[in-house]
Amino acid sequence: MPRELPGLYWDEEKQRYFPLASSRRPQVAGPSTSYLPTKLQSLAAPQATGESYNLNKHRPRALLRAREDARSSFRATHKNKLMQYVSLYRMSLGLTSTRNHYPLLANLIIVAHSQISCFQVAQTPHIASSSVLSLTRCAITAFQAVSYNNNVHSFAGDTGGWFYSSVIGRDEPAIGYHTSHGWRPESLPYVYLAPAACHATSFGPESKILHFPLDLDSEDIRVTRVNNRSVRDIWTADFQGTRLVLGTNDQAVVINDAADRATVCFMKTGSDVFAVTQNNNIIYTGSRAGLVQRFDMRIANTKGDRIFSDPHKTQHNSVTNLKICYDWQLLTSNIDGSLAMFDLRFPCSRTPVISFTGNINTYTTKTPIAVDPHEQFLFAAGQDRRIRLWSLRTGGAPLISPASVFQKPFEDPIRALQVVEEQEGVLGLWATSGAALYKYNLGQRI
């Protein structure tokens, strides 16, 4: 009997020793592989050439690979099912987007909640009216309301140049306006609110700015003028912090301190500015020529950049309103009644992110829009003297309810809209038509 030598084995046929790794080593039946899948049995079985197959070495790797394949198959199957559910859900919401990216379920929940809220608001059955003690019975062109020191301050301006103010308690019913200030013969196209003061601008050959403090004990009521002959016909205005931007003839005027007029600079647009809005150091203007321009206040003598413009399309579709939503989207309205939302991160794109259809206008430059403080609803006044409602997240056609008061047209054109959150979760829509104010208790049955 030959001796056992480490690393060698004895071959009886050759009558000599061979290394253990040699292919001449006789094959020994391995453990059963019947418990493995068919794909793994071929990997675990000895090779046909007679080579030794180390099952203990390759089995963990094969099992891991099979497990990963199973996980991938599971993910693909459930992703396809989830995509089917998402597609059905988007169809139920009326969404027609065909983009191929994987939607987030959280966004769909937000959209669903917004859609339900919009349908509830669309069914508002009641409207209250409040008359303004106008000395001349002129049409109201501007309105703003704000809560300050447990009181509701509201202000209005009319075409006769009169400015009206009202202060009531939170729990008191709305009453007529009792304070007036005459600016005749100019009209007041815009009233805007600072944190502790109200400012109003006048339309006419001489530009005026009214400063009206909200503090009842303060008597610092004053009127200032822009000392520049080229500044006239203030069409609109926007206030942020202490900076006031005026939309005037052929340019936008920036006043860094509205109370003291510390610095005044001019941004040439080449066309009358009908709409302005600002976000930190960036100012956006919409002009009579249908152009949206962007100005950076950190750059001296900036000429502005045209954004969302298509030179191949017809211009002169005047931009009547601009508003920034969600910090990165720009809501625009044009004189032809179109409403759209654009992505400010892609200023060269002319394709809107969302379009709102069904609004009616052909030539009126003063058709207001309003967005609620939570940025869920969009209200727009049409040339047909009706107010329409859209979901700000889904767009499309306006929401209509047969029992809603929004179906009834006004007798006079609508010149101002504002959504105010009077209490937590309680919204009210203010609208002006003729010399009267109207208030919608949004979504409330009583």
Side-chain angles (χ1 to χ4, degrees), residues 169-428:
R170 286 181 177 270
D171 300 329
E172 299 178 19
I175 59 176
Y177 284 59
H178 54 80
T179 306
S180 61
H181 309 273
W183 281 20
R184 302 174 67 183
E186 297 88 352
S187 65
L188 275 73
Y190 198 78
V191 176
Y192 52 95
L193 294 168
C198 172
H199 296 80
T201 59
S202 65
F203 181 85
E206 186 177 9
S207 301
K208 299 179 183 179
I209 303 172
L210 171 66
H211 175 83
F212 191 94
L214 300 183
D215 191 350
L216 299 178
D217 297 329
S218 177
E219 298 181 355
D220 186 20
I221 302 175
R222 60 184 183 274
V223 178
T224 60
R225 293 175 173 83
V226 181
N227 298 324
N228 192 297
R229 294 182 178 180
S230 64
V231 179
R232 62 182 186 275
D233 296 342
I234 301 178
W235 298 94
T236 186
D238 185 70
F239 192 86
Q240 184 185 72
T242 61
R243 185 173 62 200
L244 169 65
V245 181
L246 306 175
T248 67
N249 61 308
D250 296 336
Q251 62 186 346
V253 181
V254 181
I255 304 175
N256 288 328
D257 194 330
D260 299 331
R261 295 182 301 151
T263 305
V264 179
C265 60
F266 305 94
M267 299 180 296
K268 298 295 182 180
T269 59
S271 180
D272 294 343
V273 177
F274 286 165
V276 294
T277 189
Q278 50 184 323
N279 185 15
N280 296 326
N281 294 309
I282 307 299
I283 296 176
Y284 301 92
T285 65
S287 65
R288 182 193 296 271
L291 300 176
V292 177
Q293 293 176 266
R294 178 184 60 189
F295 297 85
D296 193 335
M297 295 304 300
R298 295 166 295 185
I299 303 176
N301 300 323
T302 177
K303 295 182 179 180
D305 301 318
R306 294 183 181 181
I307 60 176
F308 312 130
S309 61
D310 188 352
H312 302 289
K313 292 187 177 181
T314 306
Q315 297 294 332
H316 304 292
N317 184 16
S318 301
V319 180
T320 55
N321 291 282
L322 293 176
K323 184 173 180 58
I324 296 177
C325 300
Y326 311 126
D327 296 329
W328 55 273
Q329 291 184 344
L330 184 65
L331 176 63
T332 67
S333 69
N334 294 79
I335 201 170
D336 65 351
S338 59
L339 295 162
M341 189 91 77
F342 293 91
D343 195 328
L344 291 172
R345 298 170 297 181
F346 303 96
C348 295
S349 175
R350 193 62 183 92
T351 303
V353 178
I354 301 176
S355 296
F356 307 87
T357 61
N359 193 32
I360 296 177
N361 192 26
T362 54
Y363 59 85
T364 305
T365 61
K366 298 297 181 182
T367 50
I369 64 174
V371 174
D372 70 291
H374 303 289
E375 297 183 337
Q376 295 187 56
F377 320 121
L378 168 62
F379 298 90
Q383 192 173 301
D384 58 350
R385 302 176 184 178
R386 296 177 186 267
I387 298 177
R388 291 175 174 84
L389 164 68
W390 293 265
S391 170
L392 199 61
R393 296 185 181 274
T394 60
L399 303 177
I400 300 176
S401 175
S404 174
V405 291
F406 293 111
Q407 297 299 310
K408 183 179 179 180
F410 289 87
E411 295 182 359
D412 299 296
I414 304 166
R415 289 292 178 259
L417 290 175
Q418 185 191 7
V419 183
V420 180
E421 187 174 17
E422 300 175 353
Q423 300 176 6
E424 185 176 358
V426 179
L427 299 176

